[in-house]
Amino acid sequence: VQDAVDSKSDILVLIPCNADKGLSTLVNASQFWEKGCKIGKRKSVRFFHIGKGGGGTVEFILGDYRVSFHRNHPGPNFDSKLLEGPTTTLLINIRDPVDRFVSAFNWRSLLHCGHRDKRKKFFIGKTKHVLHPSLQPNEVCFGDQDEEKLLLHDEMKYDPNVLAEALCEDSPGYDSASTKVKLIHHANLALTDWFDFVINPKNQSIITPDGVQTLMAITTEPRVESNSESRLDWHTQQAVLKIYADNGLNNEQIGLILKHKPQLSEDKKSKAEKKTHSSTTSSVTNIVNPIPLRKLGECCLARYFRDDYRLIKTMLPEGEVDTIANVSRLEDVNPLVNSVCNWGSNELRMSCLADLESMLHRRALFLEESRGSCQKVVANLNDS
């Protein structure tokens, strides 16, 4: 009886449908899902999808919860809509810079066809997009012999250490290695490139009061006390609730939308798996398991991405974490940078900050340049 009463009362609660199309249709929670309604206006919410940083998961969850948004990928777009409006909310996924580099290296190595590769070949400009390797890496690979493929397969031999160790500042091949990083899809843009419009003093002045007002970091980081994948899902779901509320939905409406949300079908689950792809190698290729990053390569990369770690430190509360990693904060940044974790509950804020702190803690030893060169730091580690 109570279920019947609840069902009847659910029908009486109305929710705006298809606001993105300028319509004022009101529906109940069941109809919200049946009619394919969305929440928010696409131009008001933007997602900077940073490659190999959990962005596929974020994108899928936003879509699954019917959030209307605009995506920038594989690079950012600092256009007038972001700087002057109507975009007011910007989501951006953040992963440890060293981890993201290695993931990008391995992922792009996998996507290119290897010697005697059994997968179908995809040729840019000649093959239908539905067969794109990034969507079906176990079945399709890039057949083109481009600079990236020659670098990863022929020169680097699938080994990220070759490039990483050449990026040490005292390496004779540093300049050449820096140029080669730009050839690797996803690795070619640093975190600071995505945040340029709020950290570059020349660009900050063009953000108007009608432009982006909320910058939401969606972090992913391995931590002992919790699973990074489930935490990434939770962070994104909290972003969904924030966007729902920002669009005028009250707690009752939000609760009913979530209550009536359908379970994922097998087809959608399959699409989700493709969307949230990882950089694991395929059993049908001739590529061996990814070669782990050595400590020297880790140190060289941490210092190469020093400004990214400075940016991460700048995101943390000043005065509370100044002892984490011997890197300085960026100066003269937009206040949005200092509030990337302050968009949700206190639990969300603490989880986001803990992820950022962990990124700094893991690389702190290598970022402390007073210890000497990376070769010296690693040698001391081996002696201890």
Side-chain angles (χ1 to χ4, degrees):
V1 173
Q2 186 60 47
D3 288 344
V5 172
D6 290 343
S7 179
K8 186 174 181 179
S9 63
D10 289 358
I11 296 175
L12 299 177
V13 178
L14 298 180
I15 299 165
C17 177
N18 294 334
D20 198 31
K21 297 180 180 179
L23 302 178
S24 57
T25 307
L26 295 175
V27 298
N28 60 45
S30 294
Q31 293 171 330
F32 175 86
W33 295 103
E34 294 167 0
K35 293 179 177 293
C37 300
K38 290 191 175 183
I39 292 296
K41 296 182 178 181
R42 185 171 180 267
K43 294 180 180 179
S44 68
V45 178
R46 186 175 300 193
F47 173 41
F48 275 6
H49 177 171
I50 301 182
K52 307 317 300 169
T57 296
V58 175
E59 185 177 337
F60 178 81
I61 292 176
L62 292 176
D64 187 44
Y65 280 84
R66 301 286 175 81
V67 171
S68 186
F69 68 98
H70 177 69
R71 179 190 75 147
N72 284 157
H73 180 79
N77 184 3
F78 310 131
D79 57 18
S80 60
K81 295 183 180 65
L82 179 70
L83 304 174
E84 303 171 9
T87 300
T88 56
T89 300
L90 174 64
L91 289 78
I92 185 164
N93 57 300
I94 299 176
R95 184 184 183 186
D96 172 78
V98 172
D99 287 348
R100 194 171 71 84
F101 172 89
V102 174
S103 181
F105 185 101
N106 290 331
W107 174 244
R108 297 302 295 182
S109 295
L110 167 65
L111 291 188
H112 288 285
C113 298
H115 184 56
R116 297 179 181 176
D117 206 307
K118 298 179 182 179
R119 294 174 292 175
K120 297 177 182 177
K121 289 181 171 57
F122 176 98
F123 295 94
I124 297 174
K126 299 179 182 180
T127 312
K128 293 181 180 180
H129 181 72
V130 70
L131 296 175
H132 198 277
S134 64
L135 299 177
Q136 303 180 77
N138 288 340
E139 302 171 17
V140 186
C141 57
F142 287 116
D144 303 272
Q145 297 291 316
D146 63 9
E147 289 183 295
E148 184 186 54
K149 192 262 183 178
L150 294 175
L151 172 69
L152 297 172
H153 286 201
D154 298 351
E155 184 175 349
M156 301 297 154
K157 308 295 184 185
Y158 312 102
D159 186 353
N161 292 285
V162 179
L163 184 55
E165 293 173 10
L167 288 170
C168 262
E169 292 176 328
D170 56 357
S171 166
Y174 176 84
D175 291 339
S176 175
S178 297
T179 301
K180 290 171 182 176
V181 170
K182 301 302 180 184
L183 298 177
I184 305 175
H185 204 59
H186 299 319
N188 57 349
L189 290 175
L191 187 62
T192 49
D193 293 320
W194 288 87
F195 276 81
D196 184 71
F197 77 113
V198 285
I199 64 175
N200 187 335
K202 295 180 180 179
N203 295 332
Q204 290 184 51
S205 60
I206 59 178
I207 303 177
T208 71
D210 294 324
V212 60
Q213 299 166 16
T214 304
L215 183 54
M216 304 166 64
I218 310 293
T219 56
T220 179
E221 166 74 358
R223 287 195 275 125
V224 175
E225 65 271 23
S226 59
N227 179 275
S228 60
E229 292 183 5
S230 61
R231 201 167 59 254
L232 175 62
D233 289 354
W234 181 72
H235 286 175
T236 310
Q237 289 161 0
Q238 294 302 301
V240 168
L241 298 181
K242 165 69 173 171
I243 294 170
Y244 280 4
D246 286 350
N247 280 275
L249 297 186
N250 59 39
N251 289 339
E252 183 179 24
Q253 291 171 315
I254 294 173
L256 289 174
I257 289 175
L258 300 180
K259 175 183 175 181
H260 288 271
K261 183 180 181 298
Q263 295 293 318
L264 283 180
S265 64
E266 290 303 317
D267 179 57
K268 285 189 175 181
K269 286 181 180 179
S270 176
K271 290 181 179 178
E273 291 173 357
K274 291 179 180 178
K275 199 71 175 179
T276 58
H277 56 66
S278 62
S279 301
T280 53
T281 54
S282 167
S283 59
V284 298
T285 73
N286 69 327
I287 301 176
V288 297
N289 290 328
I291 299 170
L293 188 66
R294 294 188 290 264
K295 288 297 181 182
L296 180 58
E298 181 185 349
C299 180
C300 296
L301 285 174
R303 294 187 178 185
Y304 179 77
F305 290 114
R306 183 184 298 105
D307 283 346
D308 280 2
Y309 288 102
R310 292 181 65 201
L311 173 57
I312 291 170
K313 189 168 185 176
T314 309
M315 296 174 185
L316 297 169
E318 191 169 5
E320 297 179 23
V321 290
D322 286 343
T323 58
I324 299 178
N326 190 21
V327 291
S328 61
R329 294 172 176 273
L330 297 178
E331 298 180 356
D332 301 321
V333 301
N334 188 290
L336 289 170
V337 176
N338 308 121
S339 59
V340 295
C341 292
N342 297 348
W343 50 266
S345 65
N346 186 61
E347 182 182 6
L348 181 283
R349 177 179 180 274
M350 297 308 294
S351 180
C352 175
L353 292 176
D355 279 351
L356 297 177
E357 290 177 19
S358 176
M359 295 175 196
L360 290 173
H361 274 301
R362 286 201 291 134
R363 312 301 178 192
L365 177 65
F366 301 129
L367 290 169
E368 191 171 342
E369 295 185 38
S370 62
R371 293 178 179 271
S373 68
C374 281
Q375 286 82 359
K376 182 177 180 180
V377 172
V378 173
N380 289 338
L381 277 177
N382 293 334
D383 291 340
S384 60

